[in-house]
C-alpha cells in the first residue's frame, strides 16, 4: 500500500498544492480573492483537459475552448429558469425548456455533449498530423463561435442567457479540479497514454510498433474535450450569466499559455502553469488598481497587465524552454518511481514558481529520467 | 554468447498470422512520380533463415522494406504473407500480423525509457500494461539491456540504441523481422557482436530475418540466401557462395568496393 501511494504520489501532491493555495487565500476575507480562486480551479480543469490531448499527443489544439463553450451552454440549457428559456430559447426541446435540472445532471450534460462533438470532429481531424491538425482545431473554434453567436433560438445569440443558478463555489470547483487531475493521471499511465506518447515521440516508429495512432489520438481527444466541457459547465454555473464572448481567442491563448508556461509535457506543468499565470495576472492587476506607498498611490497604466504577462511569459520561456516543470512530474517522497540511481538526485524547485508552492518539493520524474 | 529466450505467457494478445511461413514480394514495382525505385522485384523470405538484401546506395533496399512492412504502397505487384494478400494493410496491421521492422535512423522513442520503448509494441499488440512490462523485461534481458531499462532511450550509447530498436521490434515474437542496416556506423567488434545476435534470431524466435547490410563480409557470414538489388532491379539471388562468384554482382557492387 505504501509502495502504491509512493508510486502514484504525483496527482495527490498536485491536489495538495491546490488545497494549500486555497488555504492561503482563505486567510484573507477578501471576496474578490475567493472569486479568483474559483476561477483558477475551473481553469485547472480546462488546462488539465488540454494537457490530456496536447501533452500526450504533441499536437497543439487551438479549438478546445470551443468544447468549453459547448459544455457551458449545455449546462445553461439544463439549469436556466424555465420561464426565461420558454421566451428566449424557443428552439430548445421541450424536456429542456420546461424543466430545471440539478447541478450534477447539468454537468454530466456538459461532459457528454462535449465528448460527442469531439468524437465526430475527431474522426475527421485525427487523420491529420502536426500543423494541419492544429489549424483544423482552430477552424473548429471559429465554427463553434459563429454557430453559438447566431443560433438565436438556442443560445439567445449575442445576448445573454440569465437565471442560471450559481451553485459553483471554490469548494465545488476544487473537487472537480482534483478529479480532473486524477483522470488525466490515470490516462497518462494507461496503455493508451503510453502508446500516444510513443506517437508523439516518433509517429512512424509508433506505427511499426502496431500502435493505431488515429484510435489513441481520438481517445485522448474525446477525453480531453470531456474535461474541458465540464470546465465550461462549471463556469456557466459559477457566473450565472452566459454569453459566447468569453469562449474565444483570449481564453484560448491564455489557457495554452498556461500549459506552455507550466511545461506541456507533464501534468504537473499543466497545474503549475495555471497557478503561476493566475498569480502573475493578479499581481499585475493589483498594481494597475494602484498600491498605496506612503501617502501616495503607485499605479501602473491600464493595459500593463497584458504587457507584463507577455514579458513574464517570454522570460520564463527564454530561461525555461520546457516550462516551469521542465516537463517532469512532482515527486516529493523518496522511494518514488525513480527510474535509475543516477536520476535520484532531486532537482531544486523552480525559483520563479508561485509563492504559494510549498518549499522544498523537489521535482523528479517518473517518465523521463534525465541521465 | 547469446542466451536462450524464455517468453512469458501472453494472454489476450492477438498474434495474427504468426504461423505464416513465408513473406514474399511478387513482381513488385514502385514508382515515385514516374521514376521507378523498384522494378519487377520478387523475393521470398523463409521463417527459418537470415535473408540478406544488399545493393549499392539507391538500389531500392529501404523502399523494398517499406513495401514489405506497409509503409509504402506498391505501384504494382503484391506483398504476400503466409499465402495471403496484404493489399490495403496499414503499417500497424503488418506488425499485428507478425511483420516487424527496425529503422536505419533508429527512430527510438527518445523521451521515453528503454523499458517503455519495448512496452509500447507489446501494448500496441493488445497486451495489458502488466503483461507488456513482463514481455519488455524478458526481451531486454535477452538482448542485454536489462540494467539500462530505466534510462532515457535518447541517453543510450549508439550500439545500445541499435539493440533497443531490435528489442522493440522483436517483442512478442513476430514471424518476420526486417532489419535496415542495424550495424551501420559500428566498429568491427561491435558489428560482430550484433551479427551473432541477429544470426540467432531464427532459431530463438522462429522468426525469419531480412537483413539489409552494407558490410559484405558480415552479410556473407550469416545469411543463408542473399538477394542483390541494383537500380531497383534484381541482379542476383543465391547462397553467399553463388553471390560471391556472380559476375553481375561483382561488376555492380563488389567491384566498386574492391
Amino acid at each position: 500500500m505504501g509502495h502504491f501511494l509512493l508510486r502514484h504520489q504525483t496527482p495527490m501532491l498536485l491536489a495538495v498544492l491546490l488545497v494549500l493555495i486555497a488555504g492561503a487565500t482563505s486567510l484573507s476575507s477578501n471576496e474578490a480573492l475567493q472569486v479568483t480562486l474559483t476561477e483558477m480551479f475551473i481553469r485547472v480543469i480546462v488546462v488539465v483537459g488540454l494537457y490530456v490531448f496536447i501533452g500526450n499527443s504533441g499536437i497543439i489544439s487551438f479549438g478546445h475552448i470551443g468544447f468549453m463553450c459547448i459544455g457551458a451552454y449545455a449546462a445553461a440549457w439544463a439549469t436556466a429558469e424555465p420561464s426565461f428559456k420558454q421566451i428566449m430559447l424557443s428552439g430548445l426541446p421541450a424536456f429542456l425548456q420546461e424543466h430545471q435540472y440539478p447541478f450534477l445532471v447539468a454537468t454530466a450534460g456538459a461532459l457528454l455533449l462535449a465528448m460527442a462533438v469531439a468524437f465526430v470532429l475527431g474522426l475527421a481531424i485525427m487523420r491529420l498530423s502536426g500543423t494541419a491538425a492544429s489549424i483544423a482545431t482552430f477552424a473548429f473554434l471559429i465554427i463553434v463561435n459563429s454557430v453559438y453567436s447566431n443560433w438565436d433560438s438556442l443560445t439567445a445569440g449575442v445576448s445573454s442567457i440569465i437565471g442560471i443558478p450559481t451553485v459553483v463555489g471554490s469548494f465545488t470547483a476544487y473537487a472537480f479540479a482534483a478529479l480532473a487531475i486524477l483522470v488525466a493521471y490515470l490516462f497518462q499511465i494507461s496503455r493508451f497514454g503510453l502508446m500516444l506518447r510513443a506517437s508523439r515521440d516518433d509517429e512512424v516508429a509508433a506505427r511499426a510498433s502496431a500502435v493505431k495512432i488515429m484510435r489513441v489520438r481520438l481517445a485522448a481527444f474525446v477525453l480531453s474535450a470531456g474535461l474541458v466541457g465540464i470546465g465550461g459547465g462549471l463556469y456557466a454555473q459559477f457566473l450565472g450569466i452566459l454569453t459566447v464572448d468569453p469562449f474565444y481567442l483570449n481564453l484560448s491563448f491564455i489557457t495554452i499559455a498556461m500549459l506552455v508556461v507550466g511545461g506541456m509535457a507533464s501534468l504537473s506543468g499543466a497545474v503549475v502553469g495555471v497557478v503561476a499565470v493566475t498569480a502573475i495576472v493578479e499581481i499585475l492587476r493589483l498594481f494597475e488598481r494602484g498600491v498605496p506607498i506612503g501617502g501616495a498611490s503607485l499605479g501602473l497604466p491600464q493595459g500593463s497587465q497584458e504587457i507584463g504577462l507577455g514579458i513574464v511569459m517570454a522570460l520564463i520561456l527564454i530561461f525555461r524552454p520546457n516550462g516551469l516543470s521542465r516537463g517532469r512530474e512532482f515527486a516529493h517522497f523518496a522511494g518514488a518511481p525513480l527510474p535509475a540511481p543516477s536520476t535520484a538526485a532531486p532537482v531544486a524547485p523552480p525559483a520563479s514558481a508561485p509563492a504559494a508552492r510549498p518549499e522544498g518539493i523537489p521535482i523528479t520524474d517518473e517518465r523521463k529520467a534525465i541521465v | 554468447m547469446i542466451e536462450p529466450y524464455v517468453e512469458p505467457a501472453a494472454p489476450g494478445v492477438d498474434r495474427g498470422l504468426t504461423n505464416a511461413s513465408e513473406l514474399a514480394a511478387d513482381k513488385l514495382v514502385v514508382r515515385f512520380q514516374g521514376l521507378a525505385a523498384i522494378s519487377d522485384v520478387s523475393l521470398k523470405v523463409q521463417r527459418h533463415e537470415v535473408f540478406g538484401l544488399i545493393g549499392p546506395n539507391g538500389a531500392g533496399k529501404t523502399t523494398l522494406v517499406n513495401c514489405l512492412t506497409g509503409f509504402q504502397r506498391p505501384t504494382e505487384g503484391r506483398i504476400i504473407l503466409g499465402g495471403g494478400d496484404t493489399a490495403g494493410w496499414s503499417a500497424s496491421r503488418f506488425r499485428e500480423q507478425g511483420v516487424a521492422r527496425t529503422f536505419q535512423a533508429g527512430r527510438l522513442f527518445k523521451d521515453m525509457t528503454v523499458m517503455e520503448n519495448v512496452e509500447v509494441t507489446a501494448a500496441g499488440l493488445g497486451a495489458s500494461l502488466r503483461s507488456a512490462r513482463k514481455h519488455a523485461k524478458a526481451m531486454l534481458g535477452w538482448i542485454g539491456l536489462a540494467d539500462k531499462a530505466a534510462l532515457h532511450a535518447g541517453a543510450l550509447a549508439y550500439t545500445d540504441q541499435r539493440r533497443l530498436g531490435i528489442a522493440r521490434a522483436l517483442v512478442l515474437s513476430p514471424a518476420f523481422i526486417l532489419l535496415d542496416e542495424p550495424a551501420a556506423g559500428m566498429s568491427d567488434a561491435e558489428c560482430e557482436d550484433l551479427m551473432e545476435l541477429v544470426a540467432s534470431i531464427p532459431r530463438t524466435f522462429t522468426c525469419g530475418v531480412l537483413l539489409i547490410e552494407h558490410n559484405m563480409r558480415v552479410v556473407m557470414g550469416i545469411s543463408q540466401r542473399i538477394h542483390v538489388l541494383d537500380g531497383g532491379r534484381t541482379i542476383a539471388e543465391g547462397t553467399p557462395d553463388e553471390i560471391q562468384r556472380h559476375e553481375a554482382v561483382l561488376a555492380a557492387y563488389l567491384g566498386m568496393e574492391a
Side-chain angles (χ1 to χ4, degrees):
Chain A
M1 188 62 188
H3 182 67
F4 176 84
L5 289 177
L6 285 175
R7 252 174 80 91
H8 302 294
Q9 58 179 286
T10 298
M12 286 174 257
L13 286 173
L14 291 172
V16 169
L17 166 69
L18 294 183
V19 167
L20 290 178
I21 294 168
T25 53
S26 72
L27 293 179
S28 109
S29 54
N30 186 340
E31 227 171 88
L33 209 54
Q34 287 303 313
V35 169
T36 303
L37 189 67
T38 308
E39 224 169 333
M40 186 187 83
F41 287 147
I42 290 173
R43 289 202 174 165
V44 167
I45 302 168
V46 171
V47 175
V48 164
L50 271 178
Y51 163 77
V52 166
F53 180 70
I54 296 179
N56 289 299
S57 76
I59 300 170
I60 303 268
S61 165
F62 297 110
H64 269 65
I65 295 306
F67 296 120
M68 193 179 175
C69 180
I70 288 171
Y73 273 85
W77 290 332
T79 60
E81 285 273 337
S83 56
F84 173 83
K85 288 192 277 196
Q86 276 155 8
I87 299 167
M88 292 296 290
L89 310 177
S90 55
L92 281 181
F95 79 95
L96 286 173
Q97 224 177 69
E98 289 161 11
H99 299 95
Q100 202 169 10
Y101 293 91
F103 165 71
L104 279 179
V105 176
T107 308
L111 166 79
L112 292 177
L113 190 61
M115 285 174 91
V117 174
F119 180 75
V120 175
L121 178 72
L123 283 177
I125 290 186
M126 293 304 113
R127 291 166 200 285
L128 308 173
S129 287
T131 319
S134 300
I135 298 291
T137 57
F138 187 53
F140 168 71
L141 178 69
I142 296 172
I143 290 170
V144 169
N145 189 266
S146 306
V147 169
Y148 278 71
S149 313
N150 292 297
W151 201 342
D152 293 358
S153 64
L154 281 184
T155 65
V158 286
S159 51
S160 333
I161 294 184
I162 55 168
I164 306 165
T166 52
V167 294
V168 173
S170 59
F171 182 77
T172 311
Y174 170 77
F176 277 89
L179 194 69
I181 290 169
L182 180 67
V183 168
Y185 180 74
L186 290 178
F187 177 80
Q188 173 171 308
I189 61 169
S190 73
R191 288 177 63 230
F192 274 80
L194 180 77
M195 291 189 278
L196 189 58
R197 280 183 287 124
S199 79
R200 177 190 70 189
D201 276 11
D202 194 314
E203 198 174 323
V204 169
R207 284 158 68 203
S209 285
V211 173
K212 290 165 213 71
I213 293 181
M214 158 135 183
R215 197 182 296 180
V216 291
R217 274 187 192 156
L218 184 59
F221 192 66
V222 170
L223 179 64
S224 84
L227 290 175
V228 173
I230 288 182
L234 294 185
Y235 196 51
Q237 299 173 81
F238 158 69
L239 292 175
I241 300 176
L242 193 60
T243 60
V244 186
D245 298 341
F247 307 105
Y248 209 37
L249 299 178
N250 271 345
L251 190 56
S252 295
F253 287 126
I254 197 91
T255 47
I256 290 171
M258 285 168 165
L259 189 58
V260 171
V261 163
M264 66 179 188
S266 78
L267 178 57
S268 306
V271 177
V272 168
V274 177
V275 175
V277 171
T278 305
I280 295 167
V281 168
E282 287 311 310
I283 289 166
L284 289 169
R285 248 187 218 162
L286 199 66
F287 278 104
E288 252 181 17
R289 280 199 300 268
V291 180
I293 292 175
S297 166
L298 174 71
L300 294 171
Q302 289 295 315
S304 43
Q305 176 205 325
E306 280 82 4
I307 296 171
L309 180 62
I311 292 172
V312 173
M313 279 180 0
L315 287 177
I316 290 174
L317 292 176
I318 287 166
F319 293 106
R320 291 234 186 192
N322 293 321
L324 293 174
S325 70
R326 291 202 163 111
R328 297 181 240 162
E329 299 294 4
F330 284 164
H332 177 50
F333 301 100
L338 299 172
S342 56
T343 64
V347 178
S352 45
R357 229 181 87 206
E359 284 294 309
I361 292 195
I363 299 174
T364 53
D365 176 25
E366 54 181 351
R367 301 193 285 127
K368 300 190 159 188
I370 305 298
V371 198
Chain B
M1 192 53 216
I2 309 290
E3 293 180 18
Y5 174 72
V6 183
E7 188 177 283
V13 175
D14 181 8
R15 297 298 190 87
L17 296 176
T18 37
N19 56 354
S21 62
E22 202 174 78
L23 174 64
D26 179 34
K27 300 203 177 79
L28 212 60
V29 177
V30 177
R31 274 189 289 266
F32 296 119
Q33 288 156 5
L35 203 72
I38 304 264
S39 316
D40 198 27
V41 169
S42 297
L43 56 77
K44 283 179 183 165
V45 186
Q46 308 283 340
R47 190 76 180 262
H48 55 74
E49 66 178 354
V50 174
F51 183 94
L53 179 61
I54 63 174
N57 282 332
K61 305 182 295 287
T62 297
T63 307
L64 185 58
V65 165
N66 285 344
C67 287
L68 287 165
T69 50
F71 282 91
Q72 170 71 48
R73 285 271 147 84
T75 315
E76 288 167 33
R78 299 183 303 162
I79 304 296
I80 299 160
L81 177 64
D85 197 353
T86 63
W89 286 14
S90 64
S92 61
R93 178 92 187 270
F94 267 91
R95 180 62 188 87
E96 278 179 325
Q97 301 294 337
V99 181
R101 71 170 295 179
T102 64
F103 295 91
Q104 223 177 99
R107 286 188 172 274
L108 298 179
F109 306 127
K110 287 200 164 55
D111 283 342
M112 299 170 84
T113 66
V114 169
M115 181 76 129
E116 284 176 322
N117 264 266
V118 185
E119 282 172 12
V120 167
T121 307
L125 291 169
S128 68
L129 263 191
R130 186 180 296 248
S131 156
R133 197 153 300 156
K134 241 187 268 172
H135 280 91
K137 223 172 180 173
M139 179 52 66
L140 290 175
W142 179 76
I143 215 152
L145 290 174
D147 55 332
K148 302 188 170 101
L151 300 187
H152 237 185
L156 286 182
Y158 186 74
T159 53
D160 284 341
Q161 292 197 9
R162 289 306 161 119
R163 280 172 188 264
L164 178 55
I166 296 174
R168 188 175 66 180
L170 260 185
V171 75
L172 281 163
S173 310
F176 296 94
I177 184 168
L178 286 66
L179 305 173
D180 196 349
E181 297 199 26
M186 287 190 183
S187 74
D188 281 357
E190 290 165 343
C191 181
E192 242 164 67
D193 283 351
L194 190 71
M195 287 308 145
E196 191 191 352
L197 193 86
V198 170
S200 74
I201 289 175
R203 265 179 294 113
T204 312
F205 298 91
T206 334
C207 172
V209 177
L210 184 148
L211 173 68
I212 296 183
E213 177 51 60
H214 259 310
N215 187 326
M216 292 296 293
R217 203 172 48 79
V218 166
V219 178
M220 298 290 170
I222 68 167
S223 305
Q224 278 79 56
R225 287 187 304 139
I226 293 174
H227 191 103
V228 190
L229 288 181
D230 187 18
R233 289 173 192 285
T234 301
I235 58 172
E237 186 180 309
T239 63
D241 278 350
E242 289 164 358
I243 295 300
Q244 270 165 329
R245 281 182 272 115
H246 200 286
E247 267 178 42
V249 177
L250 293 175
Y253 194 91
L254 298 177
M256 300 191 320
E257 289 206 336

